[in-house]
Amino acid sequence: MTKTALQLVHHIRRAVQIVSEVFLAHGLKLNYKKGKTEVVVFLRGPDAKSVRHQIFIEDEGTIPVNIAGVGQVSLNVVSTYRHLGGIFASKGGLLPECNMRAQSSSEAYRPLAKKVFWPRTIEVPVKLSLANSLIFSRLFLYAGTWPELSERCLTVLNKAYMKPHRAAARVVNSQSEHVGDPQVLRQLKVPTVGFRVRAMRILYFVRVLRFAPDLVLSALQQKAPKGSSWSEELLKDLEWLWQSSES
Protein backbone atom coordinates (compact mmCIF):
# COMPACT_ATOMS: atom_id res chain seq x y z
CA MET A 1 0.00 0.00 0.00
CA THR A 2 1.38 3.39 -1.03
CA LYS A 3 0.26 7.03 -0.97
CA THR A 4 0.29 7.38 -4.75
CA ALA A 5 -0.23 5.11 -7.72
CA LEU A 6 3.19 5.98 -9.12
CA GLN A 7 4.87 4.87 -5.90
CA LEU A 8 3.07 1.55 -6.19
CA VAL A 9 4.40 1.06 -9.72
CA HIS A 10 7.95 1.80 -8.51
CA HIS A 11 7.54 -0.76 -5.70
CA ILE A 12 6.24 -3.35 -8.17
CA ARG A 13 9.22 -2.81 -10.47
CA ARG A 14 11.68 -3.15 -7.61
CA ALA A 15 9.97 -6.26 -6.24
CA VAL A 16 10.04 -7.93 -9.67
CA GLN A 17 13.72 -7.04 -10.08
CA ILE A 18 14.63 -8.55 -6.71
CA VAL A 19 12.63 -11.73 -7.25
CA SER A 20 13.97 -12.21 -10.78
CA GLU A 21 17.58 -11.65 -9.71
CA VAL A 22 17.25 -14.16 -6.86
CA PHE A 23 15.81 -16.74 -9.24
CA LEU A 24 18.57 -16.08 -11.77
CA ALA A 25 21.20 -16.54 -9.06
CA HIS A 26 19.85 -20.08 -8.63
CA GLY A 27 19.72 -20.82 -12.36
CA LEU A 28 15.99 -20.13 -12.80
CA LYS A 29 14.31 -17.67 -15.15
CA LEU A 30 10.79 -16.38 -14.58
CA ASN A 31 8.20 -16.71 -17.36
CA TYR A 32 6.54 -13.34 -18.09
CA LYS A 33 4.07 -14.62 -20.68
CA LYS A 34 0.33 -14.10 -20.19
CA GLY A 35 -1.11 -16.33 -17.50
CA LYS A 36 2.30 -16.85 -15.88
CA THR A 37 4.09 -14.10 -13.91
CA GLU A 38 1.55 -11.25 -13.71
CA VAL A 39 0.50 -8.55 -11.27
CA VAL A 40 -2.88 -7.55 -9.86
CA VAL A 41 -3.10 -3.89 -8.81
CA PHE A 42 -5.75 -1.49 -7.54
CA LEU A 43 -4.62 2.05 -8.32
CA ARG A 44 -5.62 4.79 -5.88
CA GLY A 45 -4.47 8.34 -5.19
CA PRO A 46 -4.45 11.71 -6.96
CA ASP A 47 -2.35 10.37 -9.84
CA ALA A 48 -4.32 7.15 -10.36
CA LYS A 49 -5.95 8.35 -13.58
CA SER A 50 -2.67 9.29 -15.28
CA VAL A 51 -0.90 6.11 -14.11
CA ARG A 52 -3.83 4.00 -15.28
CA HIS A 53 -3.59 5.67 -18.71
CA GLN A 54 0.14 4.99 -18.81
CA ILE A 55 -0.28 1.29 -17.97
CA PHE A 56 -3.37 0.35 -19.96
CA ILE A 57 -3.14 2.72 -22.96
CA GLU A 58 0.48 3.65 -23.58
CA ASP A 59 2.05 0.39 -22.30
CA GLU A 60 -0.87 -1.81 -23.45
CA GLY A 61 -1.66 -3.32 -20.07
CA THR A 62 1.90 -3.92 -18.93
CA ILE A 63 4.57 -2.48 -16.65
CA PRO A 64 8.01 -2.44 -18.32
CA VAL A 65 10.73 -3.69 -15.96
CA ASN A 66 14.51 -3.67 -16.54
CA ILE A 67 16.15 -6.77 -15.07
CA ALA A 68 19.91 -7.26 -14.82
CA GLY A 69 21.03 -10.14 -16.98
CA VAL A 70 17.69 -10.33 -18.78
CA GLY A 71 16.91 -6.89 -20.17
CA GLN A 72 13.48 -5.30 -20.33
CA VAL A 73 10.43 -7.49 -19.73
CA SER A 74 6.75 -6.61 -19.94
CA LEU A 75 4.91 -7.50 -16.74
CA ASN A 76 1.24 -8.06 -17.55
CA VAL A 77 -1.28 -6.20 -15.37
CA VAL A 78 -4.50 -8.17 -14.87
CA SER A 79 -7.74 -7.61 -12.96
CA THR A 80 -7.82 -11.19 -11.64
CA TYR A 81 -5.25 -13.94 -11.24
CA ARG A 82 -5.76 -17.64 -10.60
CA HIS A 83 -3.31 -19.42 -8.34
CA LEU A 84 -3.52 -22.80 -6.57
CA GLY A 85 -7.25 -23.11 -7.20
CA GLY A 86 -8.08 -19.62 -5.93
CA ILE A 87 -8.61 -16.30 -7.66
CA PHE A 88 -7.35 -12.87 -6.63
CA ALA A 89 -9.23 -9.73 -7.74
CA SER A 90 -7.81 -6.22 -8.07
CA LYS A 91 -10.47 -4.68 -5.84
CA GLY A 92 -10.21 -7.41 -3.24
CA GLY A 93 -13.79 -8.60 -3.69
CA LEU A 94 -14.76 -12.26 -3.38
CA LEU A 95 -17.40 -12.38 -6.12
CA PRO A 96 -14.98 -13.69 -8.80
CA GLU A 97 -13.85 -16.36 -6.34
CA CYS A 98 -17.44 -17.31 -5.46
CA ASN A 99 -18.40 -17.50 -9.14
CA MET A 100 -15.44 -19.76 -9.86
CA ARG A 101 -16.19 -21.99 -6.85
CA ALA A 102 -19.85 -22.30 -7.89
CA GLN A 103 -18.92 -23.12 -11.48
CA SER A 104 -16.39 -25.74 -10.41
CA SER A 105 -18.84 -27.47 -8.06
CA SER A 106 -21.60 -27.42 -10.69
CA GLU A 107 -19.25 -29.07 -13.18
CA ALA A 108 -18.64 -31.84 -10.63
CA TYR A 109 -22.35 -32.22 -9.91
CA ARG A 110 -23.66 -32.27 -13.48
CA PRO A 111 -22.46 -35.75 -14.58
CA LEU A 112 -23.58 -37.26 -11.26
CA ALA A 113 -27.04 -35.72 -11.10
CA LYS A 114 -29.09 -38.36 -12.91
CA LYS A 115 -26.97 -41.38 -11.97
CA VAL A 116 -26.31 -40.63 -8.30
CA PHE A 117 -28.40 -37.86 -6.75
CA TRP A 118 -31.86 -38.37 -8.27
CA PRO A 119 -32.28 -42.20 -8.17
CA ARG A 120 -34.32 -43.53 -5.23
CA THR A 121 -32.14 -46.66 -5.13
CA ILE A 122 -29.25 -44.73 -3.56
CA GLU A 123 -29.74 -43.82 0.09
CA VAL A 124 -29.73 -40.16 1.09
CA PRO A 125 -26.75 -40.46 3.52
CA VAL A 126 -24.66 -41.90 0.68
CA LYS A 127 -25.69 -39.02 -1.58
CA LEU A 128 -24.77 -36.45 1.05
CA SER A 129 -21.44 -38.11 1.68
CA LEU A 130 -20.63 -38.05 -2.04
CA ALA A 131 -21.73 -34.43 -2.27
CA ASN A 132 -19.36 -33.46 0.53
CA SER A 133 -16.38 -35.27 -0.94
CA LEU A 134 -16.86 -34.63 -4.66
CA ILE A 135 -18.80 -31.36 -4.91
CA PHE A 136 -18.62 -29.27 -1.75
CA SER A 137 -14.87 -29.84 -1.48
CA ARG A 138 -14.74 -27.62 -4.58
CA LEU A 139 -17.44 -25.18 -3.51
CA PHE A 140 -15.83 -24.43 -0.14
CA LEU A 141 -12.18 -24.61 -1.16
CA TYR A 142 -10.29 -21.99 0.93
CA ALA A 143 -13.58 -20.93 2.57
CA GLY A 144 -11.79 -20.80 5.92
CA THR A 145 -9.76 -17.85 4.65
CA TRP A 146 -12.74 -15.79 3.47
CA PRO A 147 -13.78 -12.58 5.27
CA GLU A 148 -17.44 -11.52 5.38
CA LEU A 149 -19.35 -12.55 2.26
CA SER A 150 -21.68 -10.18 0.46
CA GLU A 151 -25.30 -11.14 -0.13
CA ARG A 152 -24.51 -11.64 -3.79
CA CYS A 153 -21.69 -14.05 -2.98
CA LEU A 154 -23.92 -15.99 -0.61
CA THR A 155 -26.61 -16.21 -3.30
CA VAL A 156 -24.13 -17.56 -5.86
CA LEU A 157 -22.78 -20.16 -3.44
CA ASN A 158 -26.22 -21.15 -2.19
CA LYS A 159 -27.51 -21.81 -5.71
CA ALA A 160 -24.71 -24.32 -6.33
CA TYR A 161 -25.06 -25.71 -2.80
CA MET A 162 -28.76 -26.46 -3.18
CA LYS A 163 -28.58 -28.36 -6.49
CA PRO A 164 -27.35 -31.69 -5.05
CA HIS A 165 -29.42 -31.20 -1.89
CA ARG A 166 -32.64 -30.71 -3.81
CA ALA A 167 -31.82 -33.71 -5.97
CA ALA A 168 -31.02 -35.85 -2.91
CA ALA A 169 -34.34 -34.83 -1.34
CA ARG A 170 -36.08 -35.25 -4.72
CA VAL A 171 -37.59 -31.76 -4.48
CA VAL A 172 -38.66 -30.01 -7.68
CA ASN A 173 -40.57 -26.74 -7.57
CA SER A 174 -43.67 -26.51 -9.71
CA GLN A 175 -46.21 -23.80 -10.44
CA SER A 176 -48.53 -25.25 -7.81
CA GLU A 177 -45.97 -25.90 -5.07
CA HIS A 178 -42.78 -24.19 -3.95
CA VAL A 179 -40.44 -25.75 -1.42
CA GLY A 180 -37.96 -23.28 0.00
CA ASP A 181 -34.28 -23.95 0.60
CA PRO A 182 -34.61 -23.84 4.43
CA GLN A 183 -37.25 -26.57 4.28
CA VAL A 184 -35.02 -28.79 2.11
CA LEU A 185 -32.06 -28.33 4.44
CA ARG A 186 -34.18 -29.12 7.50
CA GLN A 187 -35.47 -32.24 5.80
CA LEU A 188 -31.92 -33.43 5.11
CA LYS A 189 -30.61 -32.13 8.46
CA VAL A 190 -27.71 -30.26 6.86
CA PRO A 191 -26.40 -26.74 7.64
CA THR A 192 -26.73 -23.59 5.56
CA VAL A 193 -23.95 -22.11 3.42
CA GLY A 194 -23.34 -19.40 6.00
CA PHE A 195 -23.02 -21.94 8.80
CA ARG A 196 -20.51 -24.02 6.84
CA VAL A 197 -18.34 -21.04 5.96
CA ARG A 198 -18.37 -19.89 9.59
CA ALA A 199 -17.40 -23.35 10.84
CA MET A 200 -14.59 -23.64 8.29
CA ARG A 201 -13.22 -20.25 9.32
CA ILE A 202 -13.06 -21.38 12.95
CA LEU A 203 -11.37 -24.65 11.98
CA TYR A 204 -8.86 -22.75 9.87
CA PHE A 205 -8.13 -20.49 12.83
CA VAL A 206 -7.24 -23.57 14.90
CA ARG A 207 -4.74 -24.58 12.21
CA VAL A 208 -3.29 -21.06 12.18
CA LEU A 209 -2.75 -21.20 15.94
CA ARG A 210 -1.00 -24.55 15.66
CA PHE A 211 1.16 -24.10 12.59
CA ALA A 212 1.45 -20.43 11.56
CA PRO A 213 4.75 -18.60 12.17
CA ASP A 214 4.89 -15.85 14.78
CA LEU A 215 4.90 -13.17 12.08
CA VAL A 216 1.45 -14.25 10.88
CA LEU A 217 0.09 -14.36 14.43
CA SER A 218 1.42 -10.86 15.05
CA ALA A 219 -0.21 -9.59 11.85
CA LEU A 220 -3.58 -10.98 12.94
CA GLN A 221 -3.40 -8.93 16.12
CA GLN A 222 -3.06 -5.65 14.19
CA LYS A 223 -6.13 -3.50 13.75
CA ALA A 224 -7.55 -3.77 10.24
CA PRO A 225 -10.07 -1.52 8.42
CA LYS A 226 -13.54 -2.10 9.81
CA GLY A 227 -15.66 -4.57 7.89
CA SER A 228 -12.85 -5.82 5.66
CA SER A 229 -10.69 -8.19 7.67
CA TRP A 230 -10.71 -11.94 8.17
CA SER A 231 -9.79 -11.49 11.83
CA GLU A 232 -12.77 -9.22 12.46
CA GLU A 233 -15.12 -11.78 10.97
CA LEU A 234 -13.43 -14.52 13.00
CA LEU A 235 -14.21 -12.61 16.21
CA LYS A 236 -17.89 -12.64 15.25
CA ASP A 237 -17.66 -16.39 14.63
CA LEU A 238 -16.07 -17.03 18.01
CA GLU A 239 -18.72 -14.92 19.75
CA TRP A 240 -21.39 -16.91 17.92
CA LEU A 241 -19.73 -20.18 18.97
CA TRP A 242 -19.55 -19.04 22.59
CA GLN A 243 -23.22 -18.00 22.65
CA SER A 244 -24.24 -21.27 20.99
CA SER A 245 -22.37 -23.30 23.61
CA GLU A 246 -24.13 -21.43 26.43
CA SER A 247 -27.63 -21.90 25.04
Side-chain angles (χ1 to χ4, degrees):
M1 184 178 294
T2 59
K3 293 182 179 180
T4 67
L6 189 58
Q7 285 180 335
L8 178 61
V9 173
H10 289 326
H11 287 334
I12 290 172
R13 282 198 175 102
R14 187 59 190 137
V16 171
Q17 288 170 343
I18 293 172
V19 172
S20 295
E21 290 167 8
V22 170
F23 270 67
L24 284 172
H26 291 80
L28 300 172
K29 186 177 180 181
L30 293 179
N31 186 347
Y32 290 96
K33 293 181 179 179
K34 288 186 177 181
K36 299 300 181 180
T37 304
E38 298 177 322
V39 63
V40 178
V41 298
F42 184 38
L43 300 173
R44 299 292 296 271
D47 60 341
K49 185 176 181 180
S50 61
V51 173
R52 194 176 293 113
H53 183 273
Q54 176 69 42
I55 292 175
F56 294 104
I57 303 301
E58 296 186 24
D59 293 328
E60 300 180 338
T62 68
I63 296 176
V65 183
N66 290 312
I67 301 174
V70 176
Q72 187 179 88
V73 300
S74 296
L75 179 66
N76 290 297
V77 180
V78 295
S79 58
T80 59
Y81 185 79
R82 295 189 181 190
H83 181 66
L84 296 177
I87 187 167
F88 301 90
S90 60
K91 295 185 178 180
L94 280 172
L95 186 57
E97 173 77 9
C98 291
N99 284 329
M100 187 175 69
R101 299 267 62 83
Q103 180 181 354
S104 178
S105 65
S106 295
E107 289 172 354
Y109 165 72
R110 201 172 296 118
L112 301 174
K114 293 183 179 180
K115 296 181 179 180
V116 175
F117 290 98
W118 281 104
R120 297 179 184 274
T121 53
I122 300 178
E123 296 182 354
V124 171
V126 175
K127 295 178 181 179
L128 297 180
S129 178
L130 290 172
N132 281 320
S133 61
L134 302 177
I135 300 172
F136 300 147
S137 57
R138 295 188 180 198
L139 186 63
F140 296 111
L141 182 67
Y142 303 136
T145 67
W146 293 347
E148 182 179 10
L149 295 176
S150 66
E151 288 298 323
R152 190 172 178 185
C153 277
L154 286 171
T155 299
V156 169
L157 293 173
N158 188 69
K159 184 176 180 180
Y161 185 63
M162 290 307 303
K163 286 179 181 178
H165 283 137
R166 285 184 170 275
R170 296 189 59 81
V171 173
V172 179
N173 286 329
S174 62
Q175 293 181 349
S176 60
E177 182 181 12
H178 177 81
V179 180
D181 293 343
Q183 184 176 341
V184 174
L185 296 179
R186 284 195 299 269
Q187 177 182 334
L188 297 174
K189 297 180 180 180
V190 295
T192 63
V193 165
F195 183 99
R196 291 192 65 148
V197 172
R198 173 169 277 177
M200 293 183 73
R201 195 157 37 227
I202 294 174
L203 291 173
Y204 183 72
F205 175 57
V206 174
R207 292 178 59 193
V208 169
L209 290 178
R210 292 185 60 191
F211 304 113
D214 293 339
L215 185 61
V216 173
L217 297 177
S218 297
L220 290 175
Q221 296 177 46
Q222 303 302 313
K223 187 175 182 180
K226 187 175 181 181
S228 65
S229 73
W230 175 84
S231 55
E232 183 181 10
E233 198 63 21
L234 175 66
L235 287 176
K236 297 178 185 178
D237 298 337
L238 295 175
E239 290 175 1
W240 163 82
L241 181 63
W242 178 259
Q243 293 172 359
S244 300
S245 63
E246 288 185 328
S247 60

